[in-house]
Amino acid sequence: MATTIDDVARAAGVSTSTVSYVLSGKRPISAPTRQRVERAIRDLGYRPHAGARALASSRTNVLALMAPLRVDVNVSVIMQFVTGVVTAARTFDHDVLLLTADEIAGMERVANGSMVDALVMMDIEADDPRVPVLAGLSQPAVLIGLPRDPEGLSCVDLDFEAAGHLAVRHLARLGHRQVALLGSPQAVLDRHTSYAERMIRGFTRGAAEAGLTGLVEPCESSMAGAVTAVDRVLAALPDVTALVVHNEVALPWVLATLRERGRHVPDDVSVVAVCPPDVAVGQALPLTNVDIPAHTIGKVAVEMAMARVERDEPAETRLIAPMLVERASTVAPVR
């Protein structure tokens, strides 16, 4: 028969409420009494029921992570963010409830049902309809992304505007004068997804500041989409010598299409990829890349959520500075 809290109370010679207070920490208990209770818990092998712990502490030890798995997202990269969140949550003794749809009803259900202590939400749009709903919930929320108005919610993300600027600055330093950005699919841009728009702003600003001819071309996450995007760039800028690719799914097909069109990397076209490092080094030619530190961003999101839960700290926005790692895919253009 399973040990109960009453068994612990009898063994320690205290009331069940005292055992409950020792477990929850909601009231101070004298050191000798606490030691007796803790000894009884160890001796009896008592394991508090998760529901009872939640009722006693008003905590569930669960975080909700909304990571919409849309057809136009790279699931493998999304899962790197998920891994970062889950790993960090375990250090705070929290589990993660994963929501893979972007339905507001599901978000409200887990919050209003007191199923979670805090929420983390990905794939943020500039004017995201979920943000005001999150702002009205009793639980704190953290956004992996940067809406136009966070409405008092904490935000963390890579500084994508700085990432676009950094990629162009690197190419300008090498001497490239005509550059193009192969970016997110049109559906992502039509949703005004924050990271995609910020990448374009940074790329455009960087090209203008360096006096480069810059072109932005949406790219569908498919072989056909990559072929179309590359052909459009070559038609609009026949003398293009550098590409920035911010589309992990299309990246291998972009490289293959360049080869088929007689443009060799890096001799004819230099390529900078904005992607996690494993994607960059996993290509046939290791690519210079601006890192998307998915694990770090997920970890920071959890830390920000727990700071709100445990210490009621104010909301903050944290943008992680981009880092570029130079590899074999970028060289000075042939004159």
Side-chain angles (χ1 to χ4, degrees):
M1 183 180 295
T3 302
T4 68
I5 193 171
D6 292 329
D7 297 329
V8 173
R10 280 193 295 270
V14 298
S15 66
T16 55
S17 61
T18 298
V19 177
S20 178
Y21 293 144
V22 169
L23 292 170
S24 68
K26 296 187 74 172
R27 287 191 184 181
I29 302 296
S30 68
T33 301
R34 175 178 293 277
Q35 290 168 2
R36 289 206 314 275
V37 171
E38 290 174 345
R39 189 182 306 114
I41 289 172
R42 286 195 303 271
D43 291 346
L44 296 174
Y46 175 62
R47 296 291 182 270
H49 184 271
R53 288 199 306 269
L55 288 173
S57 64
S58 299
R59 294 266 290 275
T60 65
N61 283 64
V62 177
L63 300 178
L65 172 61
M66 178 174 278
L69 299 183
R70 300 185 173 107
V71 295
D72 48 24
V73 302
N74 186 337
V75 174
S76 65
V77 173
I78 289 291
M79 292 311 296
Q80 291 192 27
F81 285 95
V82 173
T83 301
V85 169
V86 171
T87 302
R90 293 310 308 151
T91 67
F92 289 95
D93 195 29
H94 272 62
D95 294 312
V96 175
L97 174 63
L98 181 61
L99 307 175
T100 58
D102 61 355
E103 299 172 349
I104 290 177
M107 185 174 67
E108 291 180 315
R109 182 172 62 254
V110 300
N112 295 336
S114 299
M115 298 168 62
V116 297
D117 295 329
L119 299 92
V120 178
M121 188 169 73
M122 297 180 57
D123 201 27
I124 304 300
E125 298 168 12
D127 297 302
D128 201 302
R130 297 167 296 177
V131 168
V133 177
L134 281 172
L137 299 177
S138 57
Q139 295 94 333
V142 176
L143 309 179
I144 297 180
L146 187 63
R148 251 188 286 271
D149 181 3
E151 299 195 27
L153 301 176
S154 293
C155 303
V156 59
D157 204 1
L158 174 66
D159 190 338
F160 278 97
E161 187 164 344
H165 189 275
L166 177 62
V168 173
R169 190 173 65 199
H170 172 70
L171 294 168
R173 250 194 326 261
L174 291 173
H176 294 275
R177 307 309 301 166
Q178 293 193 8
V179 299
L181 168 65
L182 297 186
S184 299
Q186 190 61 52
V188 173
L189 298 175
D190 289 344
R191 288 201 305 271
H192 299 286
T193 305
S194 172
Y195 69 81
E197 292 192 333
R198 287 183 282 135
M199 172 61 64
I200 291 173
R201 284 201 300 270
F203 173 87
T204 303
R205 178 169 62 86
E209 290 176 359
L212 309 186
T213 299
L215 174 69
V216 175
E217 184 65 46
C219 183
E220 300 306 310
S221 299
S222 65
M223 181 176 68
V227 171
T228 298
V230 170
D231 283 346
R232 284 179 178 170
V233 168
L234 296 179
L237 288 180
D239 297 325
V240 67
T241 59
L243 297 179
V244 178
V245 183
H246 182 209
N247 188 317
E248 299 92 345
V249 175
L251 183 58
W253 291 313
V254 168
L255 299 175
T257 304
L258 288 171
R259 286 195 301 272
E260 291 173 3
R261 301 297 183 262
R263 303 293 183 103
H264 301 286
V265 180
D267 297 333
D268 302 311
V269 180
S270 287
V271 174
V272 176
V274 182
C275 64
D278 63 305
V279 176
V281 300
Q283 307 304 316
L285 177 71
L287 302 180
T288 295
N289 83 301
V290 179
D291 185 17
I292 297 180
H295 287 88
T296 297
I297 292 172
K299 175 177 179 289
V300 172
V302 171
E303 291 171 349
M304 295 171 80
M306 295 310 301
R308 301 289 305 274
V309 170
E310 295 180 342
R311 300 184 296 278
D312 197 26
E313 292 189 2
E316 61 174 318
T317 293
R318 195 180 307 176
L319 293 180
I320 296 175
M323 293 181 58
L324 182 142
V325 178
E326 188 171 2
R327 298 189 180 91
S329 67
T330 52
V331 297
V334 177
R335 298 298 183 186

